[in-house]
Amino acid sequence: MSSEELLKYYDGDSSISASLFDDRTFPFWAFLVLAAFILFFYGPMINMLMLAFANEYQAPAILPQQWGFKWWSYVFSQKSLVSSITQSFIVAIITTGVSMVLCIPAAYSIARFKYPGRKMFMLSFLLTNAFPKLGIYTSIAVLFYKYNLMGTYTGVVIIHMINSMMFMVWLPSSAFRAVHRQQEEAAR
């Protein structure tokens, strides 16, 4: 194909490109892609939002038969709601702090120093996400029962750290690697 034919093809003069990207058909394809995106990604959230304000809903119907705040009043009437939210914030803050103290130095070490086993050390953080969590959690549960960590803040923080360690090591490691050593030394 000559360069003139290529230019003709890419300028839209060709019947193939004209039919595929015509002004009348391209918005239709864009609409179909957008509709599929909304259906598969936002559909479940819209359904959950709708069911949050439904007092009565039966399966074949698209909309609830009765709207209301029945479930909201049930949730807010629970005596343990405030303590549950407080415990969630405490666990989140402790997990973030401990993860930063442990993982940022590990990420810096991986990014800046060359030592034997560095690649395996990096791979070990990936392994917790490479396998199904059920097997990992089952073996951790055995260890937690053995060391009396079941039902404690320490146990919950450890589980949350296992889920976040890959991100807390890999992401800062790549950020540290992107900064040149000269810039780091100039900042000191």
Side-chain angles (χ1 to χ4, degrees):
M1 191 178 272
S2 70
S3 61
E4 291 179 25
E5 291 174 349
L6 281 173
L7 283 173
K8 186 188 279 188
Y9 178 78
Y10 286 115
D11 284 341
D13 293 339
S14 170
S15 62
I16 295 171
S17 65
S19 66
L20 186 61
F21 296 111
D22 190 35
D23 287 338
R24 289 169 284 159
T25 59
F26 187 72
F28 178 71
W29 286 107
F31 173 76
L32 286 180
V33 169
L34 180 65
F37 179 78
I38 289 172
L39 178 69
F40 290 111
F41 291 103
Y42 290 116
M45 287 191 288
I46 292 170
N47 184 42
M48 186 173 57
L49 181 68
M50 179 190 66
L51 292 178
F53 296 101
N55 282 350
E56 183 180 331
Y57 177 75
Q58 295 188 1
I62 295 175
L63 294 174
Q65 285 76 30
Q66 183 182 9
W67 296 91
F69 295 99
K70 174 177 136 183
W71 299 112
W72 290 96
S73 63
Y74 172 76
V75 168
F76 288 122
S77 69
Q78 300 297 311
K79 294 181 182 3
S80 63
L81 179 68
V82 174
S83 68
S84 297
I85 291 173
T86 305
Q87 287 182 10
S88 293
F89 277 119
I90 290 170
V91 167
I93 290 167
I94 292 172
T95 302
T96 303
V98 172
S99 291
M100 285 174 57
V101 167
L102 294 177
C103 296
I104 291 188
Y108 184 81
S109 163
I110 289 170
R112 290 290 185 225
F113 305 119
K114 305 288 185 210
Y115 50 87
R118 184 174 64 97
K119 298 274 187 195
M120 285 303 295
F121 184 64
M122 191 78 163
L123 183 66
S124 70
F125 292 106
L126 183 64
L127 288 177
T128 59
N129 287 346
F131 299 106
K133 298 283 187 194
L134 185 61
I136 293 170
Y137 291 153
T138 304
S139 60
I140 288 173
V142 171
L143 291 172
F144 275 22
Y145 275 120
K146 183 178 178 182
Y147 295 113
N148 294 324
L149 291 172
M150 196 61 78
T152 63
Y153 275 117
T154 307
V156 174
V157 167
I158 290 171
I159 289 295
H160 282 250
M161 281 182 54
I162 288 171
N163 289 329
S164 68
M165 280 184 84
M166 182 186 84
F167 303 108
M168 291 288 287
V169 171
W170 279 59
L171 294 176
S173 176
S174 62
F176 288 137
R177 220 177 287 125
V179 175
H180 294 289
R181 287 185 186 264
Q182 292 83 6
Q183 288 176 327
E184 183 182 342
E185 290 171 7
R188 290 183 188 188

